[in-house]
Amino acid sequence: MATQQSRSAARWMMAPAVVLLLGWMLVPLVMTLYFSFKQYLPLRGGDLGWVGFDNYIRFVTSSAFWPSIQATLLIVGGVLVITVGLGILLALLLDQPMWGQGIVRILVIAPFFVMPTVSALVWKNMFMDPVNGLLAHLWKFFGAQPIEWLSQVSMTSIIIIVSWQWLPFATLILLTAVQSLDTEQMEAAEMDGAPLLSRFWHLVLPHLSRAITVVILIQTIFLLSIFAEIFVTTQGSFGTRTLTYLIFQRVLESQNVGLGSAGGVYAIILANIVAIFLMRIVGKNLDA
Amino acid sequence: MGSIRLEQVNKTFGDVTVIPSVDLDIDDGEFVVFVGPSGCGKSTLLRLIAGLEDTTGGRILIDGKDATDTPPAKRGLAMVFQSYALYPHMSVRKNIAFPLRMAKMDKAEQDRRIEQAAAVLNLTDYLDRRPGQLSGGQRQRVAIGRAIVREPAAFLFDEPLSNLDAALRVGMRLEISELHERLKTTMVYVTHDQVEAMTMADKIVVLRAGNIEQVGSPLELYHTPRNLFVAGFIGSPRMNFIEGPEAARYNAHTIGIRPEHIAVSADEGTWSGVVSVSEHLGSDTFFHVHDSGLAESITVRAGGEVGFRHGDRIFMTPREDVLHRFSADGLRLA
Ligand SMILES: Nc1ncnc2c1ncn2[C@@H]1O[C@H](COP(=O)(O)OP(=O)(O)O)[C@@H](O)[C@H]1O
Ligand SMILES: [Mg+2]
């Protein structure tokens, strides 16, 4: 990008993409803001005019609001803990030289390619079904009363399903980090008298901190908006109604577009709060 | 407290034999250098002593006790790696303290040893920095510091200077030698650089393809190399080898003469040839002489003021008392 000319040429060539991306982002955002200040009931009279902040107040004061925030954070937190924890373990195992390494790695990554709707249905019908599910059979085999997963421990069930989908992603990122660990460092620590656990704690974990940060940031962004897994399993009942799901219900089930849009704006705010919060805690791992 | 003995130690990786069979005695307090070309198994041998590799056969005794199956941490040896292997997210102080922390030594003693090591190695001002903020030479010193605070029975060095530039290398070479004088602890030092071997060692072990070619003091190797390989490897520039009728005159298959043992003259001498390249170092001059009818090229060392140029015909006279004779299978003839 040396000359004036090449710089302005570059600007012109990038312009269409920039305009498209801006439109892509701005149009829905502006429409959400627009509707959030309106009383808009498509099946009950349509556009009933401006209502100021009424929708915002109604959304937060509804009894479903705080539980939905709580459910959202619980799912995000639970999935992060499980995927990062198991991801580190799996990455360390996959890094060991073993027979059939290539195939094993592909198998571990496979769940990531299954669509969320499909995997949730598979879990619901094949594993967690209280009568025919594999887990029910397992419980019966040991003489126990099968658990009704999706109604008795609905939150745990959803966390398990979502973790299963995201574990491959975490494992993959962490595996590349584990592979870049300097073997001489590990040997030096071994000679310094550090047992396996100390080596993990003092060398492996700090080495992985940046990869863990990346996993947490990316997963949080996607997990805040999970929907399909809840839609095909509990439909938001049994305490699994997340903020996203609540907005969906307001817009499509109650046909209240204005109220749903206000919820959407809250969701944007929540996502940003979480993002800033995370950046603060883990962001320092990303510089240097 | 730091004698090491190898008895018929051998090592194979899969079906590749890297060390066929090695017997070696390292006495307490000795500075032993393993030297040999790249890939000859020096690092492997050092790692066997350290316990980072398992032996395929044979025994390793440390202080007379069988340590063949002892884990690395229990052997009482400290190793300095080629890449330094510092812990990047710990400060210099934490790096040096690491082995002491792992040994659960009390804090006051830890601090005392760290301060002492830092003083010896000129690291006192850098204790709170991270390894990433240090120069190559400083990192090297941290790695050595981490080794000395443990007060090990022996130090193992694997090509510790190969990542440093030439000037620093000479400085660090001296520092390590001084450290050895001060601590009087056994040191086993691996290098492919024969200058390092000659200048630092009490005892040099020359390796080729996993076999020990010769063990001896630097001057022993210089004056009485056991075979052609050692003769060619020790000494810089390389010894000249001459075969054919000229060698036959001395009842040998090959004769060897070091560049510093040939006198040059403009008008008389035993051999003659044409100067192809002359390298003036100031203190010395090296002539590479062609067309002598003896070998492809003969290297001669002369004083710095000797000024032959490219194309000059010169005469060379070898010192017969330091001429080396070798048989057809490369062994030294008495
Ligand atoms: N872990 C290993 N697996 C297979 N071969 C190895 C391994 N480590 C070293 N070797 C082989 O052993 C030989 C000697 O290696 P090394 O001891 O590192 O040589 P040096 O340190 O003298 O350069 C080399 O040919 C190398 O390829
Ligand atoms: Mg090596």
Side-chain angles (χ1 to χ4, degrees), chain B residues 13 18 36-45 53 158-159 190:
Chain B
F13 289 110
V18 176
S38 268
C40 70
K42 307 179 295 287
S43 298
T44 307
L45 198 55
E53 303 278 359
D158 191 355
E159 308 220 11
V190 163

Side-chain angles (χ1 to χ4, degrees), chain A residues 181-195 198-199 201-207 209 288, chain B residues 47 50-52 72-73 77-79 81-90 98-99 101-102 146 150 156:
Chain A
L181 188 59
D182 179 22
T183 51
E184 283 200 345
Q185 259 175 47
M186 295 299 277
E187 288 176 347
E190 197 180 341
M191 293 209 64
D192 281 346
S198 306
R199 267 178 274 161
W201 185 254
H202 292 292
L203 293 185
V204 179
L205 217 49
H207 177 77
S209 62
Chain B
R47 292 166 57 83
L52 294 171
L77 308 176
M79 184 146 164
F81 292 84
Q82 183 170 1
S83 66
Y84 315 136
L86 300 179
Y87 311 129
H89 48 272
M90 296 185 201
F98 191 72
R101 255 170 87 197
M102 289 299 121
R146 194 173 62 187
R150 289 176 55 193
L156 310 177

Side-chain angles (χ1 to χ4, degrees), chain B residues 157-229:
Chain B
F157 292 92
D158 191 355
E159 308 220 11
L161 308 185
S162 57
N163 289 339
L164 301 180
D165 61 55
L168 254 178
R169 209 178 300 167
V170 175
M172 281 307 294
R173 207 164 77 193
L174 279 174
E175 281 188 40
I176 294 176
S177 293
E178 274 168 20
L179 197 68
H180 180 244
E181 291 302 324
R182 181 202 301 252
L183 300 174
K184 304 257 188 280
T185 310
T186 313
M187 293 190 174
V188 184
Y189 186 105
V190 163
T191 179
H192 62 265
D193 180 355
Q194 60 95 22
V195 177
E196 272 173 36
M198 292 296 284
T199 50
M200 302 172 86
D202 294 324
K203 182 155 93 185
I204 297 182
V205 177
V206 182
L207 289 165
R208 175 168 60 158
N211 287 307
I212 293 185
E213 295 289 312
Q214 189 169 4
V215 179
S217 72
L219 290 184
E220 263 168 49
L221 299 196
Y222 179 82
H223 292 301
T224 53
R226 214 168 62 89
N227 56 29
L228 278 177
F229 178 79

Side-chain angles (χ1 to χ4, degrees), chain B:
Chain B
M1 303 110 297
S3 70
I4 299 170
R5 184 187 177 89
L6 307 183
E7 289 177 354
Q8 287 161 19
V9 169
N10 58 76
K11 176 70 185 170
T12 53
F13 289 110
D15 48 6
V16 185
T17 302
V18 176
I19 311 273
S21 176
V22 161
D23 287 274
L24 182 68
D25 269 308
I26 295 169
D27 295 332
D28 184 30
E30 230 176 358
F31 197 121
V32 176
V33 174
F34 293 172
V35 67
S38 268
C40 70
K42 307 179 295 287
S43 298
T44 307
L45 198 55
L46 197 72
R47 292 166 57 83
L48 285 169
I49 296 174
L52 294 171
E53 303 278 359
D54 295 320
T55 54
T56 309
R59 297 206 307 156
I60 296 172
L61 293 97
I62 297 174
D63 278 334
K65 285 189 289 290
D66 192 337
T68 318
D69 299 315
T70 312
K74 298 265 156 57
R75 296 192 183 194
L77 308 176
M79 184 146 164
V80 175
F81 292 84
Q82 183 170 1
S83 66
Y84 315 136
L86 300 179
Y87 311 129
H89 48 272
M90 296 185 201
S91 66
V92 169
R93 178 187 291 280
K94 288 237 175 76
N95 262 282
I96 297 178
F98 191 72
L100 307 180
R101 255 170 87 197
M102 289 299 121
K104 305 209 164 49
M105 184 178 285
D106 73 67
K107 197 75 179 63
E109 175 67 6
Q110 280 191 26
D111 286 339
R112 192 187 65 75
R113 290 200 188 186
I114 293 167
E115 299 300 337
Q116 194 184 348
V120 170
L121 295 164
N122 278 327
L123 287 169
T124 312
D125 296 339
Y126 306 101
L127 282 175
D128 295 318
R129 297 217 192 153
R130 296 270 179 107
Q133 300 165 311
L134 301 180
S135 71
Q138 290 166 336
R139 283 181 215 184
Q140 182 63 71
R141 281 203 277 269
V142 177
I144 293 174
R146 194 173 62 187
I148 62 178
V149 289
R150 289 176 55 193
E151 302 184 350
F155 291 96
L156 310 177
F157 292 92
D158 191 355
E159 308 220 11
L161 308 185
S162 57
N163 289 339
L164 301 180
D165 61 55
L168 254 178
R169 209 178 300 167
V170 175
M172 281 307 294
R173 207 164 77 193
L174 279 174
E175 281 188 40
I176 294 176
S177 293
E178 274 168 20
L179 197 68
H180 180 244
E181 291 302 324
R182 181 202 301 252
L183 300 174
K184 304 257 188 280
T185 310
T186 313
M187 293 190 174
V188 184
Y189 186 105
V190 163
T191 179
H192 62 265
D193 180 355
Q194 60 95 22
V195 177
E196 272 173 36
M198 292 296 284
T199 50
M200 302 172 86
D202 294 324
K203 182 155 93 185
I204 297 182
V205 177
V206 182
L207 289 165
R208 175 168 60 158
N211 287 307
I212 293 185
E213 295 289 312
Q214 189 169 4
V215 179
S217 72
L219 290 184
E220 263 168 49
L221 299 196
Y222 179 82
H223 292 301
T224 53
R226 214 168 62 89
N227 56 29
L228 278 177
F229 178 79
V230 178
F233 197 81
I234 299 292
S236 169
R238 243 170 82 91
M239 185 187 282
N240 297 296
F241 293 117
I242 299 165
E243 293 179 2
E246 190 60 25
R249 269 198 332 120
Y250 294 91
N251 289 324
H253 179 268
T254 312
I255 54 170
I257 183 79
R258 296 195 184 277
E260 54 271 37
H261 295 150
I262 300 177
V264 289
S265 151
D267 37 47
E268 56 168 352
T270 319
W271 304 325
S272 81
V274 177
V275 174
S276 141
V277 175
S278 59
E279 298 172 316
H280 298 275
L281 302 184
S283 59
D284 298 301
T285 310
F286 296 115
F287 298 112
H288 298 271
V289 182
H290 287 189
D291 297 330
S292 57
L294 303 165
E296 179 83 12
S297 169
I298 299 277
T299 311
V300 182
R301 196 187 87 179
E305 66 288 347
V306 181
F308 298 117
R309 306 189 154 276
H310 171 80
D312 291 351
R313 176 157 287 274
I314 60 168
F315 292 88
M316 303 170 285
T317 312
R319 267 178 62 189
E320 307 225 338
D321 58 324
V322 286
L323 195 116
H324 305 269
R325 303 185 309 124
F326 299 98
S327 67
D329 44 9
L331 292 177
R332 177 182 192 81
L333 294 169

